[in-house]
Amino acid sequence: MSQRPGLTFSHIGIFVTDIERQSAFYRDTLQFTQTDRGYLDGPNGPIELVFLSRDPDEHHQIVMVSGRPQNIDFNVINQISMRTDSLRTLQDFHRQLLAAPVTEITPVSHGNALSVYFKDPEGNRVEIYFNTPWYVSQPCRIPADLERPEDELMAWVESHTRTLPGFQPRSEWREEMAVRMARDADRV
């Protein structure tokens, strides 16, 4: 079974304070395409929406909605995560982020993934990651040097991952999860 039938995650919507700055960041730095833009009537007047996607099969993967208050004490978004197609892509994005209007750029290894975390222009935490071929028990967070050559970086990840609890090839972990998810789906 490749995924559970009936429900597939598609997109996220976030309220923003400065829709121009936020949508420009996601378009220019993270290379999303604006697929639509418009207004709806909201409870306190018109709200603006910007739809963004990197996948032509998805009208939008992120929708930004105006109306987020300027001063809030707590950001309810823990993180917005996006998977890269290769380690090189992750490293390229890391270099681009170093010159972008973002803060708290933090490259880490989770054992099962290499990630770069950062705060977008409005302080939402974003993760860009690349899956490794291994699994380890989570949570796991170890600082990583993404400036290493790809082969050295992967050798380092494998070396430290083999010492962590739960280590196994990702393929074995995936098989276990497929069985567990099928069993869970049968209980419904």
Side-chain angles (χ1 to χ4, degrees), residues 58-72:
E58 294 289 341
H59 172 265
H60 60 280
Q61 295 170 302
I62 298 176
V63 58
M64 296 187 178
V65 183
S66 65
R68 178 177 173 170
Q70 288 284 346
N71 299 313
I72 54 175

Side-chain angles (χ1 to χ4, degrees), residues 13 18 23 34 38 56 70 101 121 123 136-137 147 152 155 169 182 186:
D18 185 337
S23 60
Q34 181 177 308
Q70 288 284 346
V136 298
S137 299
E147 296 303 315
E152 281 183 32
D186 289 341

